């Protein structure tokens, strides 16, 4: 049985990955860590420790003490925050990853690291973006993501550390808010649809980005780590996607269930600039071929589930 340590567990992905990992590998085999002293309830039914990924000594100590063999390294800043705080983004997204890789090298752990559609840039072919293509991102987030992909490849090639990862698109979820990403509008829209019946979108109509519902994102993280090594030609940074849409399409999907829903626009120029530099749609055939990636949720299936879950939680009386 794997012994897993997760960094950044209190974030959007961690708060839903932890329960799934505990279900699959056993509660006692998954240590959740984060810098937050008030972590979400979903992750504190098992071991929870305060851990800053900038503290290499403490990572080393935990990995040794808990006999960890697999690290899911989720601690990172998203694109909007990274653009506002580039210095901190470099520290967390690069120095943090470097610390984890060094500990993994010394103590022989496998490492999962999420990359992102942010690893692409304006000169990348935007439609059906290939697995291996031009990567010249123009955001600080993108710079850290490409560097992270390369660093993970290097640790595998040079030190045989079993590094793996996926390039996540925007992830839509209903447990923990993402906080600071360019694709966050596609999460916020569901909350506002339930709470206010209307939404002001900060991304322009006609701006397409890849997206994915959280259950598929969790499945991707577990599946790529479980894949037999001999099947992997790529290791880190597999393109994965489940759908692509622009703001009008997600609004239309919501209207199928809430016909009175209204949307207007107030564009955030920094996020719009980032969104335009990212692909419209990814080609994820390498993930499909090498480890059977096969997402379950399309836009309408996701909308139905999001609205159902949020309705029950935010408006239990109605
Ligand atoms: N959801 C992320 C962001 O918008 C992209 O990986 O920053």
């Amino acid at each position: 049985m794997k012994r897993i340590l997760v960094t950044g567990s209190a974030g959007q992905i961690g708060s839903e990955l932890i329960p799934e990992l505990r279900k699959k590998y056993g509660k006692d085999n998954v240590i959740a860590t984060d810098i937050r002293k008030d972590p979400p309830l979903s992750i504190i039914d098992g071991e929870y420790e305060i851990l800053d990924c900038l503290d290499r000594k403490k990572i080393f100590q935990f990995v040794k003490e808990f006999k960890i063999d697999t690290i899911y390294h989720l601690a990172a800043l998203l694109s909007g925050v990274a653009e506002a705080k580039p210095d901190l983004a470099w520290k967390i997204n690069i120095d943090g990853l470097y610390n984890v890789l060094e500990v993994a090298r010394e103590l022989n752990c496998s490492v999962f690291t999420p990359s992102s559609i942010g690893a692409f840039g304006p000169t990348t072919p935007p439609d059906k973006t290939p697995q291996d293509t031009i990567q010249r991102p123009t955001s600080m987030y993108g710079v850290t993501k490409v560097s992270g992909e390369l660093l993970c490849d290097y640790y595998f090639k040079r030190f045989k550390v079993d590094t793996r990862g996926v390039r996540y698109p925007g992830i839509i979820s209903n447990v923990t808010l993402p906080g600071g990403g360019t694709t966050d509008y596609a999460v916020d829209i569901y909350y506002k649809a339930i709470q206010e019946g209307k939404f002001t979108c900060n991304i322009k109509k006609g701006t397409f980005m890849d997206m994915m519902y959280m259950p598929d994102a969790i499945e991707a993280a577990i599946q790529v780590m479980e894949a037999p090594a001999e099947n992997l030609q790529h290791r880190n940074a597999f393109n994965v996607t489940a759908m692509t849409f622009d703001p009008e399409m997600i609004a239309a999907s919501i209207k199928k269930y809430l016909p009175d829903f209204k949307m207007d626009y107030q564009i955030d120029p920094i996020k719009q600039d980032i969104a335009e530099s990212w692909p419209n749609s990814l080609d994820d055939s390498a993930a499909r071929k090498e480890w059977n990636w096969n997402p379950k949720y399309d836009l309408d299936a996701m909308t139905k589930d999001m609205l159902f879950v949020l309705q029950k939680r935010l408006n239990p009386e109605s």
Side-chain angles (χ1 to χ4, degrees):
M1 194 56 90
K2 286 185 197 294
R3 296 275 301 164
I4 302 172
L5 180 135
V6 183
T7 70
S9 306
Q12 187 197 14
I13 299 176
S15 56
E16 296 193 52
L17 179 64
I18 294 285
E20 281 308 310
L21 291 175
R22 286 188 172 145
K23 228 188 276 168
K24 189 169 169 61
Y25 301 107
K27 208 171 171 172
D28 298 338
N29 289 321
V30 180
I31 319 300
T33 73
D34 199 281
I35 51 170
R36 275 180 55 178
K37 297 206 170 75
D38 59 337
L41 292 178
S42 64
I43 68 169
I44 52 173
D45 66 332
E47 186 81 33
Y48 177 76
E49 299 285 345
I50 301 291
L51 177 63
D52 182 344
C53 65
L54 297 180
D55 186 346
R56 190 188 300 179
K57 265 201 196 126
K58 203 161 169 190
I59 305 173
F60 188 94
Q61 182 197 319
F62 279 156
V63 167
K64 214 164 168 177
E65 185 182 324
F66 293 113
K67 301 190 170 39
I68 298 299
D69 55 41
T70 304
I71 304 173
Y72 277 83
H73 177 49
L74 305 181
L77 293 194
L78 289 180
S79 57
V81 192
E83 222 35 42
K85 301 177 182 170
D87 184 52
L88 186 63
W90 182 267
K91 283 200 182 83
I92 295 180
N93 293 10
I94 294 296
D95 295 349
L97 173 60
Y98 192 67
N99 287 338
V100 165
L101 289 171
E102 268 300 285
V103 172
R105 179 181 68 76
E106 284 188 71
L107 297 178
N108 200 19
C109 297
S110 304
V111 181
F112 172 85
T113 312
S115 185
S116 159
I117 49 173
F120 297 116
T123 49
T124 300
D127 298 306
K128 285 270 155 222
T129 300
Q131 173 67 40
D132 303 305
T133 187
I134 300 165
Q135 290 182 266
R136 306 286 296 171
T138 45
S139 68
M140 185 52 156
Y141 179 69
V143 170
T144 66
K145 287 293 163 186
V146 179
S147 309
E149 290 181 3
L150 294 173
L151 206 51
C152 289
D153 281 350
Y154 177 77
Y155 267 72
F156 172 65
K157 183 167 171 279
R158 175 86 164 79
F159 303 119
K160 292 284 164 271
V161 176
D162 182 14
T163 55
R164 303 181 187 196
V166 298
R167 290 185 185 126
Y168 277 130
I171 299 175
I172 290 134
S173 65
N174 51 53
V175 175
T176 301
L177 290 168
T182 302
T183 55
D184 290 13
Y185 89 87
V187 179
D188 299 339
I189 192 170
Y190 289 110
Y191 282 78
K192 285 285 187 313
I194 296 287
Q195 290 168 321
E196 297 173 23
K198 60 181 184 351
F199 176 63
T200 299
C201 186
N202 60 11
I203 296 294
K204 273 188 204 159
K205 76 163 81 160
T207 310
F208 281 79
M209 286 183 276
D210 285 281
M211 302 277 177
M212 183 182 294
Y213 197 30
M214 184 62 94
D216 284 328
I218 299 297
E219 191 56 33
I222 294 176
Q223 239 184 311
V224 75
M225 292 306 281
E226 284 289 337
E230 62 273 19
N231 295 356
L232 301 182
Q233 275 144 31
H234 301 83
R235 297 209 125 241
N236 301 292
F238 278 97
N239 283 1
V240 286
T241 184
M243 62 192 94
T244 175
F245 55 74
D246 83 325
E248 294 288 305
M249 284 172 68
I250 188 171
S253 178
I254 291 173
K255 270 192 192 159
K256 287 183 192 162
Y257 302 94
L258 302 172
D260 294 333
F261 175 68
K262 303 237 165 344
M263 183 168 75
D264 60 9
Y265 289 89
Q266 201 174 329
I267 305 308
D268 175 330
I270 293 178
K271 288 193 176 173
Q272 182 61 34
D273 196 41
I274 293 174
E276 282 174 20
S277 75
W278 289 356
N280 301 325
S281 65
L282 298 185
D283 173 355
D284 61 2
S285 50
R288 288 175 186 268
K289 190 167 143 238
E290 293 176 39
W291 47 275
N292 297 324
W293 163 242
N294 188 15
K296 305 213 169 24
Y297 286 86
D298 63 11
L299 176 55
D300 284 339
M302 175 177 77
T303 297
K304 192 173 171 197
D305 199 60
M306 278 295 281
L307 294 177
F308 176 75
V309 174
L310 290 178
Q311 185 82 37
K312 259 205 330 211
R313 198 167 78 229
L314 304 175
N315 280 340
E317 315 290 70
S318 66

